[in-house]
């Protein structure tokens, strides 16, 4: 579904630094720059995929979007209200509009609660959302929407399969009828067939309810399938942002090119001859990121200027495709290693 | 690619000599208050030295439980192995005393777990946890163990190893925790490494590095690798052979090229068809219809029959054996010919 009108979510210069502590006294010896200046808009009914290296700050970004974590600086505006500044009742009201489906279904579902109670839990926090007498019925409806048997509301999470537990998480995410859902690895660790069922479910819910998604995942083929636009993160920053055709068909940033070339192809034919960009060197530490461009230490295009000046995320064409590289050039196929 | 005598039976047993690891007719169940969960129902598989056996299958089909049985880390109770043998170079591990078993665990058979967060102890630094392998099994001093821990952290490419060796697991991202797990697993150069979704939490560039690291270790040491994964790309890239699990059984077992060229079990076929393809945007993905079997009330006959488009009347009656269907290949489907040749379904 394509975006229409005013953005529903607006993210500006978002920064989150965690203190790094060391030694017996846990003295602060540095900062972990988990998210370090991220800006984007999300349109109504749009899906933005977010991909990037493990530890580049995707989950931290998700938590900031939900107001679960206070940013060091920058802002997140949800439907007109600034979630990063809001407190108390105002924060609660804004949070209703943006919900999360978590990375880890084992840790995120309380094993001692029935799935009915889990799905209805948001109503305990937002008591005015649904009148008490209607909650049971509403929970049954939610279970039905995600394709679970409403009669199983009194069962416990361990009695469900991995895919069913994801559905429980999705049902809970829908309880407060949010307009935005942030999905942090909603399909990782599921088999590809259940993965397909969940992706189809998210697509159907978007069509029916007009939801907007921020969809974080490592599976680049799933991200391509579901996203209208894709953002690529590297070490706390967005290094490329564009339509799915632009990112997958004409990646401009060297990191995106490396990432795409590393996607394993589900066909063993000719695997010995397949070419990959093997990134040189270690991923840099988010505590002491390289000067200038953060990717330069592993980049085959790097020159002096890359260490001196940080490349801003700049438009590459009139279409909203942007890359943060001094030498960005969209290309058809990844270059040889 | 690995080349040794090819396996001779549908379960993948090589002729003579004997495999590094052989699992036969393994059954595992969990006794719970609500009833008996039949998690593993007759698994046969073999692993040769230097080989990569990929295990694919449905979520909840018994992959992890099979791995835990091989490792000897099932909680008993509630779990119990009701039948079968697990032989490591001929020795039946199930017959060993716990004390002998625990000596093998970690040093000869090691495992990387699916869920790195819960596998690591939150109250110890990662350095202490990696170092413990050397202290317990090799009797190294605390200081030497820490030095080895830093080396291993470098080897699995954890940046700032010298500093981060003193950090606690919660301070690492999901991907970094998995690297810590891998460091612990390879610490003592095991003969068999079971990797249960080792790269599920990692991005594809790190995944490529980790898979490269694992295959390097395998080549250098002749270690056998059991790779449990949902990633059909990783399997296509790394596996010599593939076993597909459904409902606690191996329903198909084949050399990697054969299974991708033409699957011989309807479930395998369904899995391969569920992969999102570049041209399919905006359309619903294909998925195997219906939901997983209830392990407390497994369907009669073929476990897959309620969801199968090749189903005939006899499928609900007799449980199909793993039919030998070609060189080193087996399929537990009565109608494997139809599936293999794509006649319908
Ligand atoms: N509460 C915290 N305290 C200190 N550091 C943290 C905290 N949470 C995250 N970090 C650090 O911030 C960085 C980003 O972590 P984050 O979990 O956001 O990454 P991610 O992109 O979600 O990774 P993955 O793909 O592995 O899930 C990492 O270096 C991580 O160690
Ligand atoms: N401690 C336990 N008590 C009861 N049942 C259990 C227990 N552990 C596992 N099971 C059941 O055993 C079956 C097999 O589980 P297992 O974890 O091996 O699946 P899996 O194939 O590894 O799935 P996934 O791909 O989701 O990791 C499942 O039905 C599961 O619910
Ligand atoms: Mg994350
Ligand atoms: Mg598992």
């Amino acid at each position: 579904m394509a975006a229409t009108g005013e953005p529903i979510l607006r993210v500006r210069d978002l920064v989150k630094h965690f203190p790094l502590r060391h030694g017996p006294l846990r003295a602060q010896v540095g900062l972990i720059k988990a998210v370090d200046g991220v800006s984007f808009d999300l349109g109504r009914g749009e899906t933005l995929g977010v991909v990037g290296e493990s530890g580049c700050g995707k989950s931290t970004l998700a938590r900031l979007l939900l107001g679960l974590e206070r940013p060091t600086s920058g802002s997140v505006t949800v439907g007109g209200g600034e979630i990063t500044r809001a407190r108390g009742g105002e924060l609660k009201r804004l949070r209703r509009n943006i919900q999360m489906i978590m990375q880890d279904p084992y840790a995120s579902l309380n094993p001692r609660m029935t799935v009915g109670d889990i799905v209805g839990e948001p109503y305990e926090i937002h008591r005015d959302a649904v009148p008490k007498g209607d909650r049971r019925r509403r929970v049954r409806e939610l279970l039905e929407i995600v394709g679970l048997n409403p009669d199983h509301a009194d069962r416990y999470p361990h009695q469900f399969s991995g895919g069913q537990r994801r559905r429980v998480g999705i049902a809970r995410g829908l309880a407060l009828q949010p307009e935005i859902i942030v999905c942090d690895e909603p399909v990782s660790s599921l088999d590809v067939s259940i993965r397909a069922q969940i992706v189809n479910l998210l697509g159907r819910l978007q069509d029916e309810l007009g939801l907007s998604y921020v969809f974080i995942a490592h599976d680049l083929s799933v991200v391509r399938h579901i996203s209208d636009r894709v953002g690529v993160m590297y070490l706390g920053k967005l290094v490329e942002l564009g339509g799915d055709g632009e990112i997958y068909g004409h990646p401009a940033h060297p990191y995106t090119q490396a990432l795409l070339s590393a996607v394993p192809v589900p066909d063993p034919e000719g695997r010995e001859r397949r070419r990959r960009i093997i990134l040189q060197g270690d991923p840099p530490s988010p505590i002491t990121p390289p000067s200038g461009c953060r990717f330069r230490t592993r980049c085959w295009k790097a020159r002096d200027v890359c260490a001196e000046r940080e490349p801003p995320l700049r438009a590459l064409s009139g279409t909203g495709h942007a890359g943060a590289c001094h030498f960005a050039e969209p290309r058809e196929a990844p270059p040889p290693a | 690619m690995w080349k040794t005598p090819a396996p001779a039976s549908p379960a993948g047993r090589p002729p003579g000599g004997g495999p590094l690891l052989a699992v036969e007719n393994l059954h595992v169940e969990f006794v719970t208050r609500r009833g008996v969960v039949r998690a593993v129902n007759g698994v046969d598989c073999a692993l040769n030295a230097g080989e990569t056996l990929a295990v694919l299958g449905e979520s909840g089909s018994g992959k992890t439980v099979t791995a835990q049985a091989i490792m000897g880390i099932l909680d008993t109770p509630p779990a119990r192995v009701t039948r079968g043998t697990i032989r490591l170079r001929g020795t039946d591990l199930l017959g060993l005393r716990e004390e002998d078993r625990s000596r093998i665990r970690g040093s000869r058979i090691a495992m990387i777990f699916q869920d790195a967060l819960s596998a690591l102890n939150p109250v110890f630094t990662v350095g202490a946890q990696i170092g413990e392998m050397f202290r317990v099994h090799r009797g190294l001093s605390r200081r030497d163990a820490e030095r080895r821990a830093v080396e291993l952290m470098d080897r699995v490419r954890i940046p700032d190893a010298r500093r981060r060796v003193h950090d606690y697991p919660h301070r690492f991202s999901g991907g970094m925790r998995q690297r810590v797990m891998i460091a612990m697993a390879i610490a003592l150069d095991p003969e068999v490494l079971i990797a249960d979704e080792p790269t599920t939490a990692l991005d594809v560039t790190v995944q490529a590095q980790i898979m490269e690291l694992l295959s390097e270790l395998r080549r250098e040491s002749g270690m056998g690798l059991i790779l449990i994964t949902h990633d059909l790309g990783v399997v296509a890239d790394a596996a010599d052979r593939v076993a597909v699990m459904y409902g606690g059984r191996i329903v198909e077992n084949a050399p990697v090229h054969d299974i991708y060229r033409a699957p011989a079990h309807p479930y395998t076929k369904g899995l391969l068809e569920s992969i999102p393809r570049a041209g399919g945007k905006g359309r619903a993905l294909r998925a195997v219809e219906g939901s997983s079997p209830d392990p407390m009330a497994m369907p009669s006959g073929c476990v897959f029959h309620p969801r199968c488009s090749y189903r005939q009347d006899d499928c609900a009656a007799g449980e199909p054996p793993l039919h030998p269907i070609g060189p080193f290949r087996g399929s537990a489907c009565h109608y494997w010919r139809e599936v293999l040749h794509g006649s319908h379904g």
Side-chain angles (χ1 to χ4, degrees):
Chain A
M1 199 188 277
T4 47
E6 277 285 284
I8 190 162
L9 176 72
R10 198 187 277 274
V11 178
R12 288 295 175 270
D13 306 314
L14 201 57
V15 173
K16 179 69 189 181
H17 292 175
F18 293 106
L20 175 73
R21 298 183 190 284
H22 187 66
L25 298 174
R26 315 299 305 149
Q28 184 174 330
V29 294
L31 288 172
I32 299 173
K33 295 169 181 160
V35 172
D36 210 17
V38 166
S39 303
F40 64 84
D41 287 342
L42 179 71
R44 223 169 260 281
E46 187 186 30
T47 299
L48 174 71
V50 177
V51 300
E53 185 148 290
S54 314
C56 71
K58 301 180 297 296
S59 295
T60 306
L61 174 65
R63 297 176 59 76
L64 289 167
L65 298 183
L66 269 90
L68 296 173
E69 197 98 68
R70 290 259 166 208
T72 307
S73 62
S75 68
V76 174
T77 311
V78 178
E82 206 180 310
I83 207 165
T84 35
R85 290 251 177 91
R87 317 226 163 223
E90 164 80 350
L91 180 61
K92 218 166 133 178
R93 188 182 63 78
L94 292 174
R95 268 197 194 146
R96 229 156 112 165
N97 222 352
I98 180 164
Q99 293 287 316
M100 171 127 96
I101 301 168
M102 302 275 200
Q103 185 162 8
D104 184 349
Y106 297 90
S108 63
L109 301 183
N110 184 338
R112 276 179 288 278
M113 285 168 72
T114 65
V115 306
D117 289 341
I118 289 171
V119 171
E121 197 182 17
Y123 301 139
E124 297 299 318
I125 301 159
H126 299 268
R127 290 183 174 277
D128 54 334
V130 172
K132 204 158 179 130
D134 283 351
R135 286 184 196 164
R136 265 185 67 86
R137 186 183 50 77
R138 184 70 191 131
V139 165
R140 289 179 62 90
E141 273 174 27
L142 287 165
L143 290 173
E144 201 144 20
I145 287 175
V146 299
L148 291 172
N149 185 342
D151 295 336
H152 293 175
D154 59 349
R155 298 197 175 182
Y156 291 87
H158 74 267
Q159 295 173 276
F160 290 85
S161 71
Q164 290 172 327
R165 280 192 290 249
R166 292 302 161 111
R167 288 168 190 258
V168 173
I170 293 172
R172 178 175 59 185
L174 292 172
L176 298 170
Q177 295 177 284
E179 293 179 284
I180 307 166
I181 295 192
V182 178
C183 310
D184 191 357
E185 312 237 13
V187 294
S188 68
S189 82
L190 295 176
D191 69 66
V192 287
S193 180
I194 297 175
R195 202 174 283 199
Q197 289 180 359
I198 299 286
V199 167
N200 290 344
L201 170 64
L202 290 172
R204 177 166 68 73
L205 293 173
Q206 184 166 55
D207 290 344
E208 287 170 8
L209 309 172
L211 297 173
S212 309
Y213 295 126
V214 175
F215 190 91
I216 299 168
H218 285 305
D219 184 330
L220 283 110
S221 57
V222 167
V223 170
R224 173 168 212 177
H225 186 87
I226 202 168
S227 303
D228 301 302
R229 282 189 306 148
V230 177
V232 181
M233 281 184 78
Y234 187 80
L235 220 58
K237 290 195 179 284
L238 264 183
V239 296
E240 187 161 357
L241 184 62
D244 70 287
E246 290 160 339
I247 297 290
Y248 286 83
H250 309 278
H253 195 285
Y255 175 65
T256 312
Q257 293 168 2
L259 195 66
L260 290 173
S261 85
V263 176
V265 181
D267 182 359
E269 236 45 73
R271 63 182 181 182
E272 298 80 10
R273 293 184 301 279
R274 225 160 263 154
R275 278 177 174 281
R276 273 200 183 141
I277 304 171
I278 304 291
L279 290 177
Q280 297 302 310
D282 294 340
S285 154
I287 301 154
T288 50
S291 66
C293 171
R294 294 185 173 197
F295 187 59
R296 70 173 166 85
T297 51
R298 307 167 81 190
C299 184
W300 58 94
K301 284 185 170 181
R303 292 195 234 149
D304 291 349
V305 60
C306 303
E308 289 152 15
R309 274 194 301 122
E310 183 174 337
L313 190 66
R314 65 183 165 88
L316 297 170
S317 55
T319 54
H321 185 193
C325 172
H326 293 304
F327 306 104
E329 45 168 350
R331 57 188 310 156
E332 297 284 337
Chain B
M1 216 185 92
W2 165 77
K3 291 192 187 63
T4 56
S9 80
R13 245 161 278 134
L20 173 57
L21 183 79
V23 176
E24 265 173 59
N25 197 27
L26 185 69
H27 289 253
V28 183
E29 52 187 46
F30 292 88
V31 181
T32 71
R33 249 182 316 164
R34 292 170 163 268
V36 175
V37 176
R38 295 188 204 291
V40 176
N41 304 302
V43 161
D44 283 293
C45 68
L47 176 74
N48 300 301
E51 179 185 37
T52 299
L53 171 69
V55 181
L56 272 172
E58 194 173 48
S59 303
S61 63
K63 302 180 295 295
T64 297
V65 171
T66 301
Q68 288 171 331
I70 295 171
M71 240 338 241
I73 52 169
L74 284 166
D75 283 328
T76 46
R80 61 177 191 221
V81 176
T82 52
R83 250 193 289 172
T85 57
I86 300 170
R87 290 180 206 283
L88 178 66
R89 294 201 189 278
T91 309
D92 185 8
L93 301 180
L94 295 175
L96 294 181
R97 284 176 312 169
E98 175 49 32
E99 153 192 1
D100 297 322
R101 196 101 206 254
S102 67
R103 249 197 299 279
I104 290 174
R105 185 158 51 235
S107 67
R108 296 186 62 195
I109 305 182
M111 183 164 169
I112 306 167
F113 298 91
Q114 182 168 19
D115 181 1
L117 182 56
S118 62
L120 290 169
N121 190 327
V123 306
F124 292 103
T125 65
V126 301
Q129 292 184 63
I130 299 172
E132 190 180 60
M133 300 299 295
F134 296 108
R135 301 209 293 126
V136 171
H137 288 271
R138 296 283 186 268
L140 294 195
S141 69
R142 199 173 283 272
R143 187 195 211 131
D144 286 341
E146 184 182 302
R147 192 176 43 74
R148 297 295 298 274
V150 173
E151 280 169 27
L152 275 166
M153 284 170 73
D154 273 333
R155 185 153 188 209
V156 297
R157 303 196 182 90
I158 294 173
D160 257 345
R162 205 166 294 279
R163 208 185 322 196
R164 299 212 77 181
V165 72
H166 302 294
D167 268 344
Y168 292 86
H170 75 272
R171 305 191 63 93
F172 287 74
S173 73
M176 289 298 161
R177 281 184 211 124
Q178 196 55 276
R179 296 192 204 203
V180 172
M181 287 291 308
I182 292 170
M184 287 171 69
I186 63 175
L188 304 174
D189 289 320
E191 293 161 72
V192 176
L193 177 62
I194 305 172
D196 192 355
E197 303 195 36
T199 60
T200 298
L202 305 177
D203 68 85
V204 290
T205 58
V206 180
Q207 170 173 281
Q209 291 173 350
I210 297 283
M211 291 310 301
E212 182 60 35
L213 178 68
L214 290 175
S215 85
E216 217 175 277
L217 290 162
R218 188 175 54 75
R219 274 196 306 272
E220 285 166 9
S221 63
M223 175 178 85
L225 177 64
I226 297 179
L227 177 67
I228 301 172
T229 179
H230 290 303
D231 191 321
L232 291 154
V234 167
V235 173
D237 242 10
D240 299 307
R241 269 187 314 120
V242 183
V244 181
M245 284 191 75
Y246 185 87
R249 296 197 63 200
I250 289 179
V251 295
E252 182 164 4
N253 183 325
V256 67
H257 288 278
D258 295 352
I259 211 163
Y260 279 78
R261 206 173 293 135
H265 192 280
Y267 177 67
T268 315
K269 188 164 184 267
L271 269 191
L272 290 168
E273 286 171 351
S274 304
I275 305 171
R277 308 274 172 186
K281 218 179 143 70
R283 259 175 284 151
L285 294 168
R286 291 192 64 167
V288 180
E289 294 297 323
S291 57
S292 316
D294 178 351
M296 288 200 218
M298 286 290 189
S300 63
C302 168
V303 219
F304 189 62
H305 87 264
R307 303 172 72 183
C308 184
S309 58
Y310 290 86
R311 177 183 58 226
Q312 302 289 326
D313 292 343
D314 56 343
C315 294
E319 186 176 319
L322 199 61
H323 298 284
I325 66 163
F328 329 124
R329 237 191 133 166
S331 166
C333 174
H334 294 313
Y335 298 95
W336 60 267
R337 284 184 190 81
E338 284 78 353
V339 183
L340 192 62
H341 302 123
S343 329
H344 83 107

